[in-house]
Amino acid sequence: MTGSVLAWARADVGMSVSRLAEALDVAPATIEQWESEEAHPSTGQFKRLSKVLGRPENFFFLARPPKTQTANAAFRTMYGKGEWLAPDPKISQQLRLAQRAQTVSAWLSRKLDDFNPAIPEANVHHAPEKVAALLATWIDWTLEIQTSNTEARTSQILRQRLQERGITVLHLPFDEDTAVRGFSLPHPVAPLMAINTKEHYRARLFSYVHELAHLALHDDSLCLVRNDEGVERWCNEVAASFLIPEQDFRKYVTEKFGSEKVSTLDQVSALRGRYKVSLLAAALRLEKLGLARPGLYSSVSRTLEKRAKGGRPDPDRPQSRARVRLQTYGRHYVGSLLEAAESDILPETQVLDILKVSRSELADLRVLSQSGAEG
């Protein structure tokens, strides 16, 4: 085993020597000896090492480490707890998948001359209400879309609007125990966001806009941005303002409860349906606009934490491989690959390899994509 490759893989998933040693039930000095090649793991230790770091066994026998390092991104957690997760191997695998997709998407954009208008620029000193209005105009979003469609359809429309503006929107099934909601990767021509499909459509809707707000910051230092709680809070406020416009919301709250301050979970539940948002998003907006009694958001959050132990709804069901690929990568990314193959910009065999599908499944993908399906 090449010690420097082990050190690279450990750093790539954000693990310290002590944390890796704890996961393998060995002393930190043992890990240091493996990395300096003063000692080597047993067969059993090596297999556990490969699993913990999320790399195939033959990876550790490379002559030297790869030249690039995975971005050490922080990930937003379920229910907006404000906690940050150091990337574990499973999360890092999803991040690497996203980075590969972004690299391909950037290459395709240049080859196909498929450049879209840049995401409007914003910074955290801008009022969330104004940024929300700017982003809504950019993707041609209206309150009528939210109020006249089902939760699932509203979510699908928003994803498609983002893709039409050149944003790759991945749907990834993060493990339940990671509690990850999503992340975003900025790029001049190939911005990308990834959303957790283990969440309900209401939560996805909020995550789409939250990640769009992050992309609007146009900051290449993802780690710096995502570890700034002020930025995180600002993105939450942008998303809440986008999905729950102040003027309409004040009018709706007054119609429901008069001048009474909202104070119960049942009242929040009665309000949120119109906007297709989660209870937490509605509670956040109520507090921000001074329409709720102090502490409502915290009270709703504690209640949801207790209910969450039974599991979260997962609207996705097992489907064909072609449909799953379309669901995962979205029509924008898949459509670009299909166009590249048809234009002889990419060999079909390479498209098959990128999407991990057979020729017959690629044919199914063409049909699904042409039919307007989203997966």
Side-chain angles (χ1 to χ4, degrees):
M1 184 175 67
T2 307
S4 59
V5 173
L6 168 58
W8 185 97
R10 176 180 58 75
D12 191 50
V13 298
M15 293 188 82
S16 64
V17 168
S18 58
R19 185 180 168 198
L20 179 57
E22 182 181 356
L24 298 176
D25 195 24
V26 299
T30 300
I31 302 297
E32 293 172 352
Q33 289 174 341
W34 292 350
E35 292 186 355
S36 65
E37 298 187 25
E38 296 174 15
H40 298 282
S42 66
T43 301
Q45 290 171 330
F46 178 67
K47 290 184 179 297
R48 291 198 300 276
L49 175 69
S50 174
K51 184 175 181 181
V52 168
L53 294 180
R55 297 284 181 174
E57 293 179 6
N58 59 4
F59 174 83
F60 296 94
F61 296 99
L62 292 173
R64 61 186 63 86
K67 292 182 179 180
T68 58
Q69 193 82 24
T70 298
N72 186 24
F75 294 75
R76 190 160 53 97
T77 61
M78 294 282 190
Y79 302 135
K81 294 179 182 179
E83 299 172 357
W84 300 103
L85 304 172
D88 64 24
K90 292 179 181 177
I91 296 176
S92 292
Q93 286 176 6
Q94 300 286 41
L95 179 57
R96 287 195 293 271
L97 182 152
Q99 289 178 312
R100 287 195 298 270
Q102 186 176 61
T103 299
V104 171
S105 183
W107 186 86
L108 289 172
S109 293
R110 295 184 175 97
K111 287 292 183 180
L112 297 171
D113 197 21
D114 182 24
F115 296 102
N116 291 274
I119 299 171
E121 291 192 20
N123 66 59
V124 294
H125 301 297
H126 293 159
E129 297 278 354
K130 291 184 178 180
V131 174
L134 180 65
L135 294 176
T137 299
W138 184 64
I139 65 170
D140 194 22
W141 191 259
T142 66
L143 183 60
E144 183 182 358
I145 296 173
Q146 288 173 235
T147 57
S148 61
N149 288 283
T150 64
E151 292 173 344
R153 181 57 184 153
T154 301
S155 176
Q156 291 168 358
I157 294 172
L158 181 52
R159 184 188 189 190
Q160 185 56 28
R161 293 288 172 88
L162 293 169
Q163 292 179 117
E164 288 170 354
R165 300 307 185 273
I167 300 173
T168 299
V169 183
L170 302 183
H171 277 184
L172 302 177
F174 292 100
D175 287 345
E176 196 76 13
D177 57 358
T178 66
V180 170
R181 302 195 85 162
F183 63 88
S184 53
L185 299 174
H187 191 279
V189 298
L192 178 147
M193 66 174 68
I195 304 299
N196 186 1
T197 59
K198 295 293 184 181
E199 291 215 286
H200 195 278
Y201 290 114
R202 291 187 296 269
R204 293 186 198 182
L205 199 65
F206 193 89
S207 290
Y208 289 140
V209 188
H210 179 103
E211 301 305 337
L212 177 59
H214 271 291
L215 292 174
L217 294 173
H218 290 271
D219 194 321
D220 291 332
S221 181
L222 182 64
C223 188
L224 173 63
V225 169
R226 300 313 297 270
N227 280 299
D228 184 334
E229 291 186 2
V231 171
E232 183 70 10
R233 187 162 49 250
W234 179 84
C235 289
N236 277 340
E237 291 178 5
V238 170
S241 301
F242 182 104
L243 296 169
I244 314 174
E246 179 177 356
Q247 184 176 353
D248 185 87
F249 193 47
R250 286 186 180 278
K251 179 181 178 182
Y252 192 57
V253 172
T254 301
E255 289 175 356
K256 286 282 188 180
F257 305 114
S259 59
E260 174 189 355
K261 295 278 188 179
V262 177
S263 60
T264 69
L265 181 64
D266 287 341
Q267 288 177 312
V268 178
S269 182
L271 293 167
R272 68 95 178 266
R274 171 175 171 79
Y275 304 96
K276 311 297 190 298
V277 297
S278 68
L279 289 165
L280 272 180
L284 174 70
R285 194 69 169 133
L286 285 163
E287 281 203 356
K288 179 67 178 179
L289 297 177
L291 300 172
R293 292 190 183 280
L296 176 66
Y297 180 85
S298 297
S299 174
V300 172
S301 181
R302 287 193 299 271
T303 301
L304 291 179
E305 284 177 0
K306 292 177 182 178
R307 291 182 175 181
K309 293 179 181 178
R312 302 180 181 90
D314 180 7
D316 301 309
R317 291 173 288 183
Q319 300 169 332
S320 69
R321 187 186 297 271
R323 191 172 289 274
V324 168
R325 291 295 182 270
L326 192 56
Q327 153 94 54
T328 298
Y329 290 107
R331 287 168 59 190
H332 170 68
Y333 183 74
V334 171
S336 295
L337 283 169
L338 292 174
E339 183 180 350
E342 291 166 2
S343 304
D344 292 328
I345 293 174
L346 270 180
E348 186 175 89
T349 53
Q350 196 164 353
V351 175
L352 296 175
D353 183 60
I354 290 172
L355 293 173
K356 300 293 188 293
V357 295
S358 66
R359 291 188 184 278
S360 63
E361 289 165 344
L362 187 65
D364 292 341
L365 260 177
R366 285 194 178 95
V367 173
L368 286 170
S369 181
Q370 291 169 0
S371 71
E374 188 62 83

